[in-house]
Amino acid sequence: MALRAELPTAVRRGLTVWRRSIQVRVVASTVLLSAAVVSIVGWFLLQQTRDGLLQHRVDAVVAEARTETSEARTRLSFATGRDVDVPGQQQELVEPIIDRGATRGFAVILSPPVGSGGTLATGGVKFTQNLDKATVPVALEDTMSELSPTAWTYTRIRAVGPIAGLEAGPGIVVGSQLTLPADGETYTLYYVFPLDEETETLALVSRALLTAGILLLLLVAGLTWLVTRQVVTPIRMARRVAERLAAGQLQERLRVTGEDDLARLATSFNQMASNLQRQIRQLEELSRLQRRFVSDVSHELRTPLTTVRMAGDVLHDAKHGFDPVTSRAAELLQTELDRFETLLADLLEISRFDAGAAVLETDDVNLVDVAHRVADMTKALAAQRNTRVLVRDPGHPCLAEADVRRVERVVRNLVTNAIDHAESGDIVVHVAGDDDSAAIAVRDYGVGLAPGESAMVFNRFWRADPARARTSGGTGLGLSISLEDTHLHGGWLQAWGRPGDGAQFRLTLPRQLGQKLRHSPLPLVPVDAEVSA
């Protein structure tokens, strides 16, 4: 995330479009693949064109060099018997070729005699004016240093000044040998031919291939965009309809056009939406009936419960005049009536949450005071289980904007739940707060929670061990109500546990109602549990 934040805005927008748009990804992928194919094909065509041009040029210049050498031999044969010195005969040999080269576009160099040990670097006998003798590669010169047939190679034409009919650049050197009658020595004629026309032709072909490739890629991109648009547009419409359905607009449907695969998909989508709408309405009606049933039963039971309560109180007050068995029955009746009244109250509270009728009466609540009050209220219950409730506070108020009645009920439910599972160990209530939030954590050292049970403890009537008795007289709805109370405040209610190491429940509330929680001042996993692990 930090690396992404450092990227330029345009790059981040491009990445966002790439992630969210199938059409962009398909078009970009197609264009990239097409560009790779066009590049490979263009490179292959360019290589073939270049090889063809060069081969044709090589054949032409080798033939022309052989023709010039043959004509030179003919001229030298007519000079046999005349009293001509070697330099003069060399001049008669080279000058006509140099003159023709100026008009036909090539240059010539006459090397020292073969086998004399002389090289072009030490001084060529005759050559075209301003031509750098380094134009002839050393490898070709080594080949022609002995009697050899006509040979050629590529080179780069170098010049020390302007050359008639020739420019510096890539070229071909052809070496051909002949014998000078004046001294009987064999000389090598090097013909230097330019590749200007081939270079221009190759550049023209390259430009044509590049232009055609760009136009082809644009055409492919346009066609791909149009084709993918025909597929993506119905998908986008389906996404928008699905979002509206998720938002609760169950009457939304896709428009069906044609009879193709997309049309059948739209038809199936509409049928699915209709079935979901029908089932959701059935579930809503069933849920409404269940909530109304629970609410009605809870209210209807209050009247007979009040009558039974009055009779139970009379029997409980007169239990001292009864025999031991009847007296014990009166006590049990009073205890179960208390539990029954608590269960009815919890059912009514749950029905209010389900109906969305629960409201908050907020004030600045000091969680330290809440923890101490709950500890005092549950002292007698803890004593019955041979345990204690200890409060560890930071020594200063930990304030939060909350409904004190609901927060106290949450903490009381957590402490009584801890007493039920404490196994005679002490229960520690931790309180802490900071500038953004305040928290209470209830830690017990009892049986703990198995893996996966921390997400189930807030379910209604859930118990880790169904055979375990509720010693505190709980109804099985306390933690569910506590979770709903916490959600009303915009807080967190989380559980941690490990078999044999006990459990910890943490309540975290924002300092200001409506403020979003980002952290808790207390850890969910106790420090002593981390040390033992």
Side-chain angles (χ1 to χ4, degrees):
M1 294 297 292
L3 179 62
R4 185 180 174 187
E6 296 175 358
L7 295 175
T9 303
V11 176
R12 291 202 302 271
R13 290 178 179 174
L15 291 175
T16 301
V17 172
W18 174 267
R19 279 197 327 274
R20 295 183 177 180
S21 177
I22 297 177
Q23 189 172 11
V24 170
R25 291 201 298 271
V26 171
V27 172
S29 302
T30 305
V31 170
L32 289 176
L33 291 175
S34 301
V37 172
V38 168
S39 299
I40 294 173
V41 173
W43 177 84
F44 178 76
L45 293 177
L46 200 60
Q47 292 296 316
Q48 294 295 315
T49 303
R50 188 196 63 154
D51 294 343
L53 288 173
L54 292 178
Q55 187 60 45
H56 180 269
R57 180 60 172 166
V58 167
D59 294 342
V61 299
V62 169
E64 187 172 356
R66 286 173 176 168
T67 300
E68 290 291 342
T69 304
S70 177
E71 292 179 357
R73 287 196 185 100
T74 301
R75 289 197 307 273
L76 291 176
S77 65
F78 289 126
T80 304
R82 291 191 299 158
D83 187 12
V84 182
D85 59 353
V86 173
Q89 201 168 54
Q90 291 175 348
Q91 186 172 359
E92 289 180 4
L93 170 65
V94 177
E95 287 298 337
I97 300 176
I98 293 176
D99 293 339
R100 282 195 298 273
T103 57
R104 296 182 182 179
F106 66 87
V108 66
I109 301 175
L110 180 64
S111 72
V114 174
S116 65
T119 63
L120 294 180
T122 59
V125 178
K126 296 289 183 180
F127 55 90
T128 301
Q129 185 179 6
N130 292 331
L131 178 65
D132 190 347
K133 289 176 290 183
T135 298
V136 180
V138 176
L140 180 61
E141 189 176 353
D142 292 341
T143 301
M144 305 303 294
S145 62
E146 301 175 353
L147 294 178
S148 175
T150 302
W152 65 273
T153 187
Y154 294 111
T155 187
R156 185 155 196 87
I157 300 174
R158 296 177 175 85
V160 296
I163 303 175
L166 196 66
E167 293 182 358
I172 300 174
V173 178
V174 181
S176 182
Q177 295 179 343
L178 51 74
T179 302
L180 200 65
D183 56 3
E185 297 286 348
T186 299
Y187 292 81
T188 301
L189 280 171
Y190 293 102
Y191 300 92
V192 181
F193 296 90
L195 293 174
D196 296 340
E197 293 183 1
E198 288 72 17
T199 302
E200 293 176 359
T201 303
L202 198 61
L204 178 62
V205 173
S206 300
R207 288 193 297 271
L209 288 176
L210 180 62
T211 303
I214 293 175
L215 293 177
L216 180 61
L217 290 179
L218 292 176
L219 179 61
V220 168
L223 292 177
T224 307
W225 182 270
L226 292 176
V227 172
T228 54
R229 183 179 178 83
Q230 295 179 2
V231 178
V232 171
T233 298
I235 295 176
R236 289 175 176 171
M237 293 175 60
R239 175 184 59 82
R240 287 192 289 267
V241 172
E243 289 175 351
R244 295 191 189 104
L245 288 173
Q249 302 178 21
L250 301 179
Q251 73 281 358
E252 289 290 331
R253 296 293 183 272
L254 282 174
R255 185 176 61 184
V256 180
T257 304
E259 299 179 356
D260 55 9
D261 292 335
L262 292 175
R264 290 198 296 270
L265 175 62
T267 302
S268 300
F269 184 91
N270 291 338
Q271 292 175 353
M272 179 189 69
S274 299
N275 293 334
L276 286 176
Q277 182 181 16
R278 183 175 62 256
Q279 293 177 8
I280 289 174
R281 286 179 176 175
Q282 290 175 354
L283 291 175
E284 287 178 346
E285 181 65 20
L286 179 60
S287 177
R288 186 185 65 81
L289 292 175
Q290 289 177 340
R291 291 196 303 268
R292 183 172 180 179
F293 175 77
V294 171
S295 178
D296 292 345
V297 168
S298 301
H299 282 90
E300 291 299 327
L301 286 177
R302 280 197 170 277
T303 300
L305 180 61
T306 302
T307 303
V308 174
R309 163 61 72 181
M310 292 173 61
D313 289 342
V314 171
L315 293 175
H316 188 268
D317 293 340
K319 68 178 180 176
H320 299 292
F322 299 151
D323 58 85
V325 175
T326 306
S327 176
R328 178 58 180 165
E331 289 181 358
L332 292 176
L333 176 62
Q334 191 73 6
T335 301
E336 293 305 317
L337 283 174
D338 291 339
R339 186 168 179 271
F340 194 22
E341 282 188 333
T342 304
L343 177 60
L344 279 179
D346 288 348
L347 287 174
L348 285 173
E349 189 67 22
I350 285 289
S351 66
R352 292 191 192 96
F353 283 124
D354 292 340
V359 294
L360 293 176
E361 297 178 2
T362 60
D363 197 359
D364 287 336
V365 178
N366 185 2
L367 297 189
V368 175
D369 294 340
V370 171
H372 283 287
R373 283 199 303 270
V374 171
D376 293 338
M377 294 167 56
T378 57
K379 184 182 298 183
L381 180 61
Q384 294 176 6
R385 294 299 307 274
N386 297 321
T387 184
R388 297 179 301 168
V389 179
L390 307 177
V391 178
R392 294 180 181 174
D393 60 71
H396 58 79
C398 296
L399 300 177
E401 185 181 359
D403 187 330
V404 63
R405 179 181 65 85
R406 296 182 183 275
V407 172
E408 191 169 308
R409 179 169 61 189
V410 171
V411 179
R412 184 171 62 251
N413 286 335
L414 297 181
V415 172
T416 54
N417 180 74
I419 292 173
D420 277 342
H421 301 86
E423 299 290 338
S424 300
D426 288 341
I427 296 167
V428 183
V429 180
H430 299 273
V431 187
D434 55 24
D435 295 336
D436 299 320
S437 58
I440 290 181
V442 179
R443 173 78 163 104
D444 69 73
Y445 298 89
V447 294
L449 295 172
E453 291 183 350
S454 59
M456 302 171 61
V457 293
F458 301 106
N459 294 344
R460 298 175 184 181
F461 300 108
W462 183 87
R463 281 193 290 178
D465 183 5
R468 187 182 182 92
R470 299 185 188 274
T471 57
S472 64
T475 63
L477 295 173
L479 292 180
S480 298
I481 293 175
S482 299
L483 184 63
E484 296 292 345
D485 282 333
T486 305
H487 288 168
L488 278 178
H489 289 85
W492 297 338
L493 183 58
Q494 299 160 299
W496 168 91
R498 185 184 299 151
D501 286 341
Q504 176 164 293
F505 288 77
R506 183 183 68 181
L507 169 67
T508 307
L509 298 176
R511 288 294 299 270
Q512 300 294 328
L513 194 63
Q515 180 181 355
K516 186 175 181 180
L517 279 178
R518 300 187 181 276
H519 70 280
S520 177
L522 289 174
L524 178 60
V525 181
V527 177
D528 54 1
E530 292 180 348
V531 173
S532 64

